[in-house]
Every structure is written in C-alpha cells, then in structure tokens.
Amino acid sequence: MDQNSLMLMDATALNAFIQEVFPQVKDDFLVEEAAPYEITLRLRVQDRHLRPGGTVSGPSMFGLADVTVYLLTLSLIGPKALAVTTNSSLDFLRKPEAGRDLLAKGRLLKLGKTLSVGDVLIYSEGKAEPVARASMTYAIPPAGSAAARHSGA
C-alpha cells in the first residue's frame, strides 16, 4: 500500500482546516510538510509570542507542540475538530531566539481507535539544536458519537 494513501489530509487540507476552524490563530501556524506519521509546522513568531528577556514564551511553545500533534493526528483520521489533548509533557531545552520563527517536527508514535500519541521537537529556524521537546496524547472521538458528528466525522 502507498504510504501517502494513509493520509486523509495533506498539508494544503490541514492549512485550510486551520483557516476555517481556528480563525483566532490562523495567522500563527503554517503546515510546511505533512507525510504519514510526520509533520513540520511553523509558528510565525510575533511580538505577542514573546516574553520579557527576548525569548518566545512557554505558552507559545506549548501551543505549537499541541497543534503539531493535533494536526498530525487529523492528517490520518480526517477533520475531527473535537479530538482533545488528554496528556502532555514539555521540556524546555534552550532559549529560543526572538526574531526567528519556530519549527516543530512531529512524529506520531501510536494511532489507535481512541488515542493518538506523538513526540515533537521544536527548533528556532536555522538552528540545529532543539529548543524544546514535547510528548502529547490526544483522545479521538468515537465514531458515531455526538462529538464525532459535530466535528464532521
């Protein structure tokens, strides 16, 4: 079987989904690449993402990691807007550079019927060493549930 046939949403579809379903952050995130079980997501860093000391805030990095695994999950299950985070862990490794976008490279470790588990490495654009590492788990609405029906499943 062709690996790409596993994907229900490619980078173009994921970007359109962000634009439609999450207008409040539509200008923050851009899916750069999407492949089965892998994704690269950009956070377009702006002043609102910075904290004192000239660095990207922890909540902004958490949001990037969270959206990365969310979109990675949707790439394989389709547009189920009501998939939700059930567990997360984030390690801050280095100070990200203000003035540089952040790139998240995510990979899905497990995709089951009810849970999706992924890892994310976050980088300052142009730098080789990650600034943060995250592990995220998502709950997937059961097929036929009110949540799945509401989210277009």
Side-chain angles (χ1 to χ4, degrees):
M1 178 193 292
D2 176 13
Q3 282 285 353
N4 289 326
S5 68
L6 297 174
M7 292 181 61
L8 298 178
M9 299 176 76
D10 63 9
T12 301
L14 292 167
N15 283 320
F17 180 82
I18 294 170
Q19 294 290 311
E20 178 184 341
V21 179
F22 295 103
Q24 66 274 30
V25 295
K26 66 181 175 69
D27 296 325
D28 288 353
F29 300 106
L30 176 68
V31 178
E32 299 217 326
E33 296 178 29
Y37 295 89
E38 296 181 356
I39 196 167
T40 301
L41 187 69
R42 175 182 295 270
L43 172 64
R44 297 177 179 126
V45 175
Q46 300 174 36
D47 285 345
R48 71 177 175 271
H49 298 116
L50 302 181
R51 60 166 300 222
T55 188
V56 178
S57 71
S60 294
M61 287 189 278
F62 176 87
L64 175 58
D66 193 40
V67 172
T68 297
V69 176
Y70 176 68
L71 293 176
L72 184 51
T73 300
L74 296 188
S75 75
L76 297 169
I77 68 170
K80 298 182 188 215
L82 296 180
V84 296
T85 309
T86 59
N87 191 46
S88 66
S89 173
L90 181 64
D91 297 310
F92 300 102
L93 306 173
R94 292 171 186 79
K95 180 179 174 181
E97 292 189 31
R100 291 184 185 259
D101 285 354
L102 293 182
L103 296 172
K105 297 193 178 282
R107 64 187 174 120
L108 213 55
L109 303 174
K110 178 186 186 280
L111 178 63
K113 291 181 182 179
T114 60
L115 292 177
S116 170
V117 179
D119 278 343
V120 180
L121 289 175
I122 299 174
Y123 299 85
S124 284
E125 185 175 31
K127 298 294 182 176
E129 295 181 317
V131 299
R133 176 187 70 91
S135 175
M136 312 293 282
T137 302
Y138 264 83
I140 300 167
S145 70
R149 286 191 303 275
H150 178 70
S151 65

